[in-house]
Amino acid sequence: MNAPRRGQPPQHWADLSPTQRRELVEAAGQRTYRARQLSAHYFEGLRDDPADWTDLPSGVRDQLATTFLPQLLKPVTTTQADAGTTVKTLWRLHDGALVESVLMRYPDRVTMCVSSQAGCGMACPFCATGQGGLQRNMSTAEIVEQVMDGARRLDRGEIAGGPARVSNVVFMGMGEPLANYKAVVGAVRQLTTPTPDGLGMSARGITVSTVGLVPRMQQLATEGIPVTLALSLHAPDDELRDELVPINTRWNVEEVVDAAWEYARVTKRRVSIEYILIRDINDQASRADLLAKVLRRRGNWGWVHVNLIPLNPTPGSKWTASRRRDEDEFVRRLEARGVPVTVRDTRGREIDGACGQLKATEVDAGV
Ligand code: SAH
């Protein structure tokens, strides 16, 4: 069953629902309960090596592994920073496409930043991924496997700080997650389904970040999986946002903020507004005031939190991060208007692993 499906990655255990797993295990001539055993190994025990499935006869192990756990991600390079607590991995997919994921360990949590597409079609001029265009959507299992790899490495104690679990997943790697809606929602379900059928993470620990694909934001609110939604706003006015986030010409500031507000109302989850600070482009005091106004127009009941991100450098970009005093003033003005705001602690800048720096080129792959 895992012969390549015309251009698509081979099907994997993490693409399947529990029912599909049982059916396919039976179709492969195995007893139905083997499905539960395999799930327990894969999601709960974090064991993807059939040699470790000691409760299964070896013939069964090999058959299940070959049929259901094809290797979807081949590690090309691993780069570390922050004394080994930030780890960026470059992966090669079955068709040669390259993507990256970043593991970030903090004292109280571990966040996996995952890619949802090889490349990205949104063409935001400040983001390295956007410069190369979209190659293809990733499958559910290709997304899930990025998290599982981090989970396995943490479990084996391979990440500085000793054994740990993945507590947070952010869809802030390469790609626009809501442009690959089905696979992304599928991945969120695999991650949040209780063990042994899924990884058993809390939806609260998962953040889906979007440029603002309004119909998909509305749809996400109806899925019954209360993930945190992050909206990459970056400008409070259409004139500037049309330039910074080109899809704004399709869904403008009013529409995306309305959709974010609606998401918060339906899911009771606070929405995060992402705002990169770019020197003299979007960091003026007047824009801070306008941002506060745009957000407060929907009422001030704590539906929103602004996350300011100092611009990370990308090759060929003429833009740079804001001056410290402009950043401080921007924060002060939002706070003065009662808008909760934090400045993001950026990790991985020196390994091109920070927000907007993932581009996964052949140069990175050393070929
Ligand atoms: N396509 C989605 C998710 C990927 S980007 C989105 O745009 O939301 C994740 C976050 O990194 C977004 O908020 C994005 O705007 C931000 N980002 C992109 N390039 C950046 C850069 N050069 N410096 C800082 N943040 C950047």
Side-chain angles (χ1 to χ4, degrees):
M1 60 164 268
N2 60 1
R5 297 165 289 170
R6 258 174 88 78
Q8 288 179 54
Q11 196 170 55
H12 184 281
W13 200 244
D15 285 311
L16 304 169
S17 69
T19 311
Q20 288 172 320
R21 287 174 191 151
R22 284 191 295 273
E23 286 169 2
L24 288 170
V25 161
E26 278 180 30
Q30 295 294 341
R31 307 289 297 275
T32 317
Y33 66 85
R34 298 290 186 210
R36 193 182 163 86
Q37 287 178 310
L38 181 52
S39 286
H41 284 304
Y42 179 76
F43 284 114
E44 203 168 5
L46 303 173
R47 291 179 288 267
D48 62 340
D49 181 352
D52 297 332
W53 306 343
T54 48
D55 55 339
L56 296 171
S58 65
V60 177
R61 287 180 211 174
D62 292 342
Q63 191 197 353
L64 292 180
T66 329
T67 314
F68 297 111
L69 299 185
Q71 190 182 10
L72 298 177
L73 314 177
K74 298 210 164 63
V76 181
T77 51
T78 308
T79 331
Q80 300 193 355
D82 307 308
T85 57
T86 302
V87 183
K88 179 175 87 165
T89 309
L90 172 68
W91 303 105
R92 188 185 306 282
L93 309 182
H94 80 104
D95 56 354
L98 297 168
V99 299
E100 291 176 312
S101 2
V102 187
L103 180 153
M104 290 162 283
R105 182 169 200 168
Y106 301 90
D108 59 334
R109 65 185 194 280
V110 181
T111 301
M112 283 295 309
C113 177
V114 298
S115 295
S116 55
Q117 299 181 310
C120 184
M122 297 296 127
C124 303
F126 51 81
C127 175
T129 308
Q131 306 319 299
L134 175 67
Q135 288 151 54
R136 71 162 168 91
N137 280 332
M138 295 176 72
S139 67
T140 289
E142 284 174 328
I143 298 169
V144 172
E145 262 291 292
Q146 297 169 70
V147 179
M148 297 306 293
D149 176 76
R152 291 188 293 255
R153 285 202 270 175
L154 283 160
D155 185 62
R156 292 194 296 254
E158 291 171 16
I159 306 295
R165 306 201 135 248
V166 175
S167 52
N168 298 75
V169 170
V170 297
F171 285 83
M172 295 190 182
M174 299 172 68
E176 165 52 41
L178 296 190
N180 184 16
Y181 187 86
K182 218 172 148 224
V184 165
V185 168
V188 170
R189 290 198 193 286
Q190 300 282 340
L191 298 175
T192 55
T193 298
T195 54
D197 291 329
L199 189 58
M201 288 186 64
S202 159
R204 290 170 174 270
I206 299 178
T207 300
V208 173
S209 183
T210 180
V211 289
L213 307 187
V214 166
R216 296 308 202 184
M217 292 165 75
Q218 292 163 342
Q219 192 178 349
L220 189 63
T222 68
E223 297 283 353
I225 31 173
V227 293
T228 302
L229 183 70
L231 170 64
S232 292
L233 193 63
H234 308 322
D237 54 296
D238 287 321
E239 198 186 342
L240 180 58
R241 194 166 190 268
D242 281 349
E243 187 189 345
L244 296 182
V245 185
I247 198 76
N248 193 68
T249 55
R250 181 83 177 273
W251 293 287
N252 65 22
V253 171
E254 282 299 309
E255 292 168 308
V256 295
V257 173
D258 272 340
W261 179 83
E262 184 64 16
Y263 186 88
R265 196 184 63 75
V266 172
T267 62
K268 312 270 188 293
R269 303 284 299 134
R270 193 154 76 157
V271 168
S272 171
I273 300 287
E274 311 292 293
Y275 197 104
I276 301 175
L277 286 173
I278 313 176
R279 184 183 297 187
D280 299 329
I281 300 290
N282 69 349
D283 64 352
Q284 304 85 352
S286 61
R287 284 212 159 81
D289 293 345
L290 184 57
L291 176 61
K293 198 169 150 199
V294 164
L295 298 179
R296 292 206 42 168
R297 204 173 290 154
R298 276 85 186 166
N300 194 28
W301 48 273
W303 70 277
V304 76
H305 178 102
V306 173
N307 211 342
L308 298 174
I309 316 170
L311 180 82
N312 292 310
T314 58
S317 171
K318 51 189 185 297
W319 291 326
T320 183
S322 300
R323 295 170 200 87
R324 188 58 205 260
R325 64 181 148 86
D326 293 333
E327 182 182 304
D328 291 345
E329 180 63 12
F330 206 96
V331 170
R332 199 192 63 73
R333 284 182 180 249
L334 289 176
E335 281 177 343
R337 285 158 186 77
V339 178
V341 54
T342 45
V343 179
R344 184 183 290 172
D345 151 40
T346 289
R347 281 268 188 120
R349 204 179 281 171
E350 62 279 35
I351 54 170
D352 282 348
C355 302
Q357 294 185 311
L358 303 181
K359 60 181 185 342
T361 58
E362 292 291 330
V363 176
D364 297 325
V367 291

